[in-house]
Amino acid sequence: MSALQSLKQTSKTTLTNREYLTIAIPLIISTLTTPLLGAVDTAVVGHLPDPVFIGGVAIGSLIFSQLYWVLGFLRVSTSGFTAQAKGANNASELFFSFMRPLIIAAVLGVLFVLFQTPIKFVAFTIFQGSEGVLTQATNYFDIRIWGAPFALINYVILGWLVGSANIRLAVFLQIGMNVVNIFLDVLFVFYFDFGVKGVAFASLIAETGAVFIGFILLWKLRYFSSVTSSLSHLVEKSMFIRMIKVNRDLFIRTICLLTVYTMFTAKGAKMGEVELAANAILFQIHFIFAYFLGGFSNASSIFIGRAVGGKREDLFKEAVKMSVKWGAIAAIVASIVLFLTSQWVFPLFTSIEEVLMVSDKYIIWLLLFPLVSFWGLQLYGIFSGATEGAPIRDSIILALIVFLLTYYIFIPTLGNHGLWLAFTLFSLGRTLFLWPYFGSLKKKLFKNEVS
C-alpha cells in the first residue's frame, strides 16, 4: 500500500497504527538524513589528529544550520499549506503552495551569497573560538556558502513533496543527498587529503545535486501540467497574507532557536577546544534525536493539514492520539538505546580520548532530551499542520526567557553542566508553554462543525 493510498483511506476509515506508520516511518528516514549530514561531517574530521578540525566544522556547520533554520519555516509552512490544499482537492492552490515559497527561497538564498562577508564577520564575532578553530571554520564557510540558494530551494521541494503525500520521493531525495555527501566526505578527506575544505565541498555538491534531481522528478511526473489558473493568483492577497503571517510566526520561532544554539556553541567555544569538541558530538546526537522525533511530528502535520483542509474533526482527533502514542514510544526507545550503546556511539565521532571522556561526563543531559521534548515537538507538528503559528511563536519566546535566566544564573557555578541545564529547561519549556494552547485549537478549527 502506498503512502498516498493510506491517506486516501483516512477519508473513510478511522486512522490506524499501520496507516499512521506508513507515513511516519518514511518521514523518519527522510528527516534523520538531515542531522546525519552534519554528524558525518563531524565524524570524518573527528578522526583527524587535532580537535581544531572538529571545532572548525562544528562552528562552520552550525552557522549554516542556523542560517537555514531561520528559514526552516519554508519547509514547515509549505507542508502545511500543501496538505490543506490536497485535503480540499484544490489543484490550483496545490501548485501555488509550491511556487510562493519557491520564489522566496531563491531570493533569500541569493542574498546569503551576496552578503556572505558580513554574515561571516558577525558569526565569528559571536563564536570567538581559538585561531586554529576559526581558520578551519573559515575554510568550511567560504565554500559551503555558495550552496545557500540550493539548500533553501530543497526545503521547499521537500516540504511540498511531504505535504502532498509523495513521501517516497522525499525520502529518495534526502537519502540520495546524504549518500553522496558521505561518499564525497570520505573521498575528499581521506583520499585527496582536502581536510575541512573537502567536507564543505561534499556538502555543497550534495545540496546542489538534490535540487536538480528534485526539479527533474517534478517535471517528469507532471504534477502541475493540468493547472490552468492565472499566475496572478500567485500573489492573491488573502492567501499570500496568510502565508506571510504563518511564516512570520515560524520565523520568530526559529530566531529563538537560533539564539539558543548560538549562545550554547559560543559559550562552549570559550570553555576550550576539548569542551567545544565534546559539545559538538553531543549536539549532533541531540539533532539525530530531534529529527527522529520530528518524523512523527511531520506525519501528524500531514494528517492534521488534511483534516483541516477536508474539515474532518474525526481525523484531527485520531492524528493527535497517534502523535501522543508514537511520540512517547519513540522518546523512551531513543533514551534507552543511547544509554545502552553510548560506549560504542561516541567513538564513531572521534578517536581523541580526552574528548571521549568529556563527552561521557555530560551524557545524562542527552538522555533527558527525548523525554522532556517529545510532546513539544509533536505539538509543533499539530499546530504547523493547522498553519496556526501564533501559539508556536508565543510559547517559544517564553521558553527562551527560561533559557536565558538559567544560562546566566547557573553557568558561573556549574560550568558546562549549567549550559546543558539551561538547554534542557528550554526544551521542556517548549512543551509546557505550547500545551495550554491546544485546548482552544480544535474549537477554532472546527467551530462550525458538528462533533
Side-chain angles (χ1 to χ4, degrees):
M1 181 189 299
S2 70
L4 183 56
Q5 288 172 330
S6 290
L7 284 174
K8 285 180 178 178
Q9 285 188 6
T10 60
S11 64
K12 298 179 180 180
T13 63
T14 300
L15 181 61
T16 65
N17 289 312
R18 182 177 179 180
E19 290 167 341
Y20 184 81
L21 293 177
T22 298
I23 298 297
I25 291 175
L27 283 174
I28 291 169
I29 296 172
S30 175
T31 55
L32 276 176
T33 59
T34 299
L36 284 177
L37 191 148
V40 168
D41 288 351
T42 302
V44 168
V45 297
H47 288 84
L48 296 176
D50 196 319
V52 298
F53 295 112
I54 306 179
V57 170
I59 289 179
S61 61
L62 186 64
I63 291 171
F64 288 100
S65 294
Q66 292 175 345
L67 286 176
Y68 299 156
W69 275 329
V70 168
L71 298 172
F73 61 79
L74 289 170
R75 183 189 63 79
V76 176
S77 66
T78 300
S79 291
F81 283 112
T82 302
Q84 291 183 22
K86 192 168 186 65
N89 294 316
N90 189 331
S92 295
E93 193 54 40
L94 196 64
F95 170 69
F96 292 126
S97 67
F98 175 75
M99 292 302 301
R100 293 183 186 114
L102 178 68
I103 293 171
I104 296 174
V107 171
L108 292 175
V110 170
L111 289 177
F112 278 169
V113 173
L114 293 177
F115 291 95
Q116 60 181 278
T117 299
I119 290 172
K120 181 169 62 175
F121 174 79
V122 171
F124 287 0
T125 299
I126 293 172
F127 291 124
Q128 297 181 346
S130 68
E131 182 179 351
V133 168
L134 291 182
T135 297
Q136 298 302 325
T138 298
N139 291 336
Y140 186 92
F141 180 93
D142 289 345
I143 294 169
R144 197 174 169 192
I145 187 63
W146 294 95
F150 301 98
L152 297 180
I153 290 173
N154 193 43
Y155 273 12
V156 175
I157 294 174
L158 290 173
W160 190 90
L161 288 173
V162 169
S164 61
N166 289 286
I167 310 299
R168 291 180 181 177
L169 289 182
V171 173
F172 169 78
L173 280 177
Q174 286 288 83
I175 292 180
M177 179 177 69
N178 284 277
V179 168
V180 170
N181 180 72
I182 292 170
F183 172 77
L184 294 180
D185 267 346
V186 174
L187 182 67
F188 291 160
V189 174
F190 295 125
Y191 186 78
F192 290 111
D193 198 26
F194 287 170
V196 170
K197 290 184 178 180
V199 171
F201 272 122
S203 297
L204 172 62
I205 294 170
E207 289 170 340
T208 304
V211 169
F212 283 109
I213 296 299
F215 278 126
I216 290 173
L217 287 174
L218 292 175
W219 176 71
K220 280 187 170 293
L221 295 173
R222 302 183 183 278
Y223 280 118
F224 307 129
S225 59
S226 62
V227 175
T228 57
S229 299
S230 169
L231 289 179
S232 63
H233 291 298
L234 185 63
V235 290
E236 182 184 349
K237 187 175 180 180
S238 61
M239 287 302 301
F240 197 77
I241 290 177
R242 186 182 173 206
M243 185 189 76
I244 292 297
K245 284 183 177 179
V246 172
N247 286 337
R248 175 203 64 196
D249 294 332
L250 296 180
F251 174 80
I252 293 172
R253 167 195 177 265
T254 311
I255 289 295
C256 292
L257 285 173
L258 174 65
T259 301
V260 171
Y261 293 153
T262 299
M263 293 180 67
F264 187 98
T265 303
K267 180 60 70 173
K270 292 179 181 179
M271 293 178 181
E273 293 176 354
V274 174
E275 295 277 355
L276 173 62
N279 280 352
I281 291 172
L282 294 171
F283 228 61
Q284 290 297 341
I285 298 173
H286 142 268
F287 282 132
I288 293 172
F289 280 168
Y291 280 90
F292 172 56
L293 296 171
F296 293 102
S297 176
N298 290 338
S300 300
S301 178
I302 293 174
F303 286 110
I304 295 295
R306 289 178 64 82
V308 173
K311 301 185 185 303
R312 292 196 52 215
E313 187 175 355
D314 61 325
L315 179 58
F316 178 90
K317 291 178 179 178
E318 292 297 324
V320 171
K321 290 178 182 178
M322 290 293 174
S323 192
V324 174
K325 175 181 177 179
W326 288 106
I329 292 173
I332 294 170
V333 169
S335 292
I336 292 175
V337 168
L338 179 63
F339 177 76
L340 296 176
T341 64
S342 61
Q343 59 183 317
W344 298 290
V345 171
F346 289 165
L348 294 175
F349 288 88
T350 183
S351 55
I352 302 172
E353 191 63 32
E354 189 178 6
V355 175
L356 289 172
M357 291 176 62
V358 173
S359 299
D360 195 55
K361 273 177 62 177
Y362 303 110
I363 189 176
I364 181 62
W365 300 109
L366 209 54
L367 295 172
L368 288 173
F369 173 75
L371 303 177
V372 302
S373 65
F374 86 89
W375 182 224
L377 290 171
Q378 302 313 305
L379 285 171
Y380 173 63
I382 292 168
F383 279 87
S384 60
T387 58
E388 291 290 329
I392 297 173
R393 174 200 65 202
D394 296 343
S395 61
I396 202 167
I397 289 174
L398 293 174
L400 175 60
I401 293 173
V402 170
F403 172 82
L404 294 173
L405 290 174
T406 312
Y407 181 96
Y408 287 110
I409 291 173
F410 289 101
I411 290 179
T413 55
L414 299 179
N416 203 38
H417 278 296
L419 182 59
W420 278 99
L421 173 62
F423 180 76
T424 302
L425 291 180
F426 167 74
S427 301
L428 179 61
R430 292 172 63 184
T431 298
L432 297 180
F433 295 128
L434 184 54
W435 198 350
Y437 290 98
F438 179 74
S440 59
L441 177 65
K442 188 176 70 171
K443 295 178 182 178
K444 178 180 180 180
L445 294 176
F446 302 105
K447 58 186 176 182
N448 295 322
E449 300 296 313
V450 178
S451 300

